[in-house]
Amino acid sequence: MSRKSLIPLMLMSALLAGPAHAEKDHERHLLPETIDYALILPANLPHILKVAQAQAGRLGLDEAQKTLIRELIAEAPIKVFARLKQAETLEKALAQDVLSGALSAAELPPRLDSLASAKRAATEAQIATIGRIRASLSEVQFKQLLKLASSAGSH
């Protein structure tokens, strides 16, 4: 076989091996957790409540600030995680219907809208919580909280 005919053969082999290699990498993905259903990934918008509570002394929080943190910790599962759980349920059902062929093209857009809406509602609730924390802390305290949350891997 000539050298010129080997080049297209090698190129074709590489192209055909690509999808198999990509599928192998895909298999390593971990199963998603409920927090992974957020519209903004937790790595980019960390959950800072537990860090704020655990590091209250280091942050120099006063009693009013500590009380607010406790209140927000009590509210967060209702406002954020309930919506994330709803998004998880919607996404899994949608994926199953797509894979089984039980979903028509006309049924897809409203289902995607419901999924996006649940993720948005959870993210908006999380952003509102962050806003309440930020408003109750000094700028120095909030910056320190973000630093601690980032180093703690709070997502």
Side-chain angles (χ1 to χ4, degrees):
M1 200 178 272
S2 75
R3 199 174 225 194
K4 287 184 179 180
S5 61
L6 281 177
I7 293 172
L9 182 61
M10 289 178 3
L11 182 61
M12 195 60 135
S13 296
L15 289 173
L16 291 173
H21 180 69
E23 185 63 30
K24 182 180 178 186
D25 287 344
H26 184 70
E27 290 173 2
R28 292 188 305 204
H29 289 214
L30 300 175
L31 292 176
E33 297 179 31
T34 301
I35 60 170
D36 294 325
Y37 289 91
L39 188 59
I40 300 175
L41 294 174
N44 296 320
L45 192 61
H47 299 281
I48 58 177
L49 287 174
K50 288 182 182 178
V51 175
Q53 185 179 42
Q55 299 292 334
R58 191 169 176 184
L59 292 167
L61 301 184
D62 61 29
E63 283 308 311
Q65 292 169 322
K66 290 177 187 176
T67 299
L68 176 65
I69 298 298
R70 284 191 297 272
E71 289 172 4
L72 292 174
I73 286 174
E75 293 174 10
I78 296 165
K79 290 185 175 182
V80 177
F81 289 105
R83 291 176 176 120
L84 289 177
K85 189 65 177 167
Q86 179 187 15
E88 178 181 12
T89 301
L90 289 168
E91 183 172 317
K92 286 179 178 179
L94 176 61
Q96 184 59 40
D97 288 347
V98 166
L99 293 173
S100 70
L103 189 66
S104 71
E107 294 170 311
L108 184 59
R111 299 273 299 272
L112 288 172
D113 289 344
S114 294
L115 175 59
S117 179
K119 288 183 175 196
R120 182 180 177 125
T123 300
E124 287 173 342
Q126 183 182 0
I127 290 169
T129 298
I130 291 169
R132 287 181 65 192
I133 293 170
R134 181 181 212 124
S136 76
L137 301 180
S138 71
E139 191 63 32
V140 171
Q141 286 174 318
F142 190 74
K143 284 181 181 179
Q144 187 177 11
L145 173 58
L146 293 179
K147 187 176 180 179
L148 291 169
S150 295
S151 66
S154 65
H155 55 282

